[in-house]
Amino acid sequence: MARTTSRYVCQNCGASYPKWSGKCDACGEWNTLVEEQATESVPKGLGKGQGRKIEFVALSGVSKDAPRRMTGIQEFDRVCGGGLVNGSALLVGGDPGIGKSTLLLQVTCCLAQETRCAYISGEEAVDQVRMRAARLGLVNAPVALAAANNVRDIIASLEAADGPQVAVIDSIQTMYIDTLDSAPGTVAQVRACASELIRVAKKRGITLLIVGHVTKDGQIAGPRVLEHMVDTVLYFEGERGHQFRILRAVKNRFGPTDEIGVFEMGEDGLVEVPNPSELFLADRRRDITGTAVFAGLEGTRPVLVEVQALVAPSPLGTPRRAVVGWDSSRLAMVLAVLEARCGVAIGANDVYLSVAGGLKISEPAADLAVAAALVSSLTGEPVPADAVVFGEIGLSGEIRAVSQTDQRLKEAAKLGFNRALMPQPRRSRGGGSADGLGRVELDHLTDLLPLFQADVPPRPPRGRE
Ligand code: TYD
Ligand code: MG
């Protein structure tokens, strides 16, 4: 017989505990445990019923490519891996107000000319969505619009004969299933609603676009509890203060991950930015100290961004390390290598590091650009304005080769750079590449220091034979 017990579920990551505590041990968030009633059914085992033999097939064989719908918004199509796959579920996560509803309204309006699209809003009234559409200049798109929260009703509408082929659920935290006791937005509701909707979508070949808010206070379940259920997870990055919005694929069963789409939030909604490097470098000032242009790679696309560093004497006993857009433990590593292997004394200084434009870089190839920006800020010598920098730094200070060097160099040449400070390639290809860029190949981090003529604090380098 089913037994009802209560348990405490973290609203951030979904971990459940038999007892309440202030902190979730799984994700480290505070005050996120909420009591939920759980029906625990006793496992019954298989019993007597006979199973059916599964038909196995060979690994080789002809499979059709997943049929896709292109939205025509190229930045969005690329992030999805080349359009929306029929019968797939896609989660769009991000902070409130970052532009999820705007993007999905634009996507449905673009698709609506050829496909039956429905936009189901649980957050906004029909009039509000209409007003937004008017603002975006999309009022005439044949999108079916509804304000609804009850998943039972939504499923009935999806299963109707004239039901939509593409449906937006905005947002999953406002939906509820009436047989569950918990409030909308709790982990139990969010999971149950999503799994019911996804089941129907798969059955009927509907493309389901789910909006999930990233929440800070822990009262509502975040989109992370859904990541394993959907086929594709896209997150909006960027600050609301910036006008740039970066959509990143963190999971994709139908395409590559780490692909980014760059948009600009303007008067009439999100506008695509086809060449993000130009945008990220637009505000760059030449010949100032503490900046380096990193030739990075986001998904399949090369992107140039400016890395800025400030090294300033610290009034505090424990100097500050503040990082925006990069990994702070990676910064600590670069600082340690500079100090221990190259004899650059940074210790008693505050260090601030920021990636201009709101992009979050996760590539280790940015190490060398960070090191160049740091050394430049420390010595007061600018990194050559016509140079891009990339390369991974190892713990002994060696500079390691990174992937897709050619693509990075080509993008740099396209944007008018003349030089690249870069690692020695893994193997020499013979013959220069077509980009025409001067290459300054560095073997060890100490090779970087002579490029900054001013005196580097005199301490003998250690650890290098
Ligand atoms: P929205 O899509 O409602 O965010 P979310 O669904 O992620 O919560 O975006 C709202 C923000 O976007 C709001 O701050 C206003 C801004 N915005 C514009 O700047 N221009 C526009 O054309 C639109 C529609 C919104
Ligand atoms: Mg919204």
Side-chain angles (χ1 to χ4, degrees), residues 38-56:
T39 34
E40 232 176 57
S41 55
V42 183
K44 293 195 183 72
L46 278 179
K48 286 218 173 80
Q50 274 285 320
R52 193 163 48 87
K53 185 172 166 275
I54 306 170
E55 286 295 325
F56 290 97

Side-chain angles (χ1 to χ4, degrees), residues 218-235:
Q219 290 309 303
I220 330 179
R224 289 196 49 197
V225 300
L226 296 182
E227 279 182 359
H228 63 283
M229 295 169 127
V230 295
D231 299 306
T232 306
V233 180
L234 310 181
Y235 275 108

Side-chain angles (χ1 to χ4, degrees), residues 270-300:
L270 290 162
V271 183
E272 295 177 62
V273 177
N275 193 335
S277 304
E278 267 170 25
L279 177 120
F280 291 137
L281 296 182
D283 292 334
R284 188 167 79 104
R285 310 244 168 107
R286 286 161 166 263
D287 292 324
I288 53 168
T289 61
T291 73
V293 176
F294 166 55
L297 210 67
E298 293 292 342
T300 53

Side-chain angles (χ1 to χ4, degrees), residues 95-102 132 135-136 213 265-269:
D95 292 335
I98 196 138
K100 301 180 293 296
S101 307
T102 309
R132 173 174 300 143
R135 191 167 161 193
L136 300 173
H213 289 294
M265 181 63 96
E267 278 297 299
D268 17 83

